[in-house]
Amino acid sequence: MFQLGSEVYIIVLFGIVIIFLLFLIYLLQRRINQLLNEVDDISSTMNVTCSELEELTKNVQEIKKLKI
């Protein structure tokens, strides 16, 4: 009958470990993409807030000029 050596078991074990690690890399890549999208959303919100703040400052300066 055909006998399998310990090398075959080690190769199969390493193959399973490699597949598991590839799956972990895939999950981590998806999570990194989600976090990058959240950072982009926060950044765009901050840009809008900064531009609104600048506009508000201009409006306040114009009101001050009109009252003086």
Side-chain angles (χ1 to χ4, degrees):
M1 191 76 189
F2 181 69
Q3 283 188 318
L4 297 176
S6 61
E7 296 89 9
V8 174
Y9 293 121
I10 292 174
I11 290 173
V12 170
L13 176 66
F14 285 168
I16 292 170
V17 169
I18 289 172
I19 291 171
F20 176 72
L21 292 176
L22 287 173
F23 179 70
L24 283 180
I25 290 172
Y26 170 74
L27 291 178
L28 290 174
Q29 181 185 10
R30 289 196 55 182
R31 183 62 181 145
I32 288 171
N33 286 336
Q34 288 175 350
L35 291 173
L36 286 174
N37 288 337
E38 289 179 16
V39 167
D40 288 341
D41 292 342
I42 291 172
S43 177
S44 65
T45 302
M46 286 176 55
N47 287 337
V48 169
T49 303
C50 289
S51 64
E52 289 174 351
L53 183 62
E54 290 174 1
E55 187 66 32
L56 182 62
T57 304
K58 289 177 186 177
N59 290 339
V60 168
Q61 292 297 332
E62 290 178 4
I63 291 174
K64 282 184 175 180
K65 288 179 182 177
L66 290 174
K67 287 188 175 183
I68 293 178

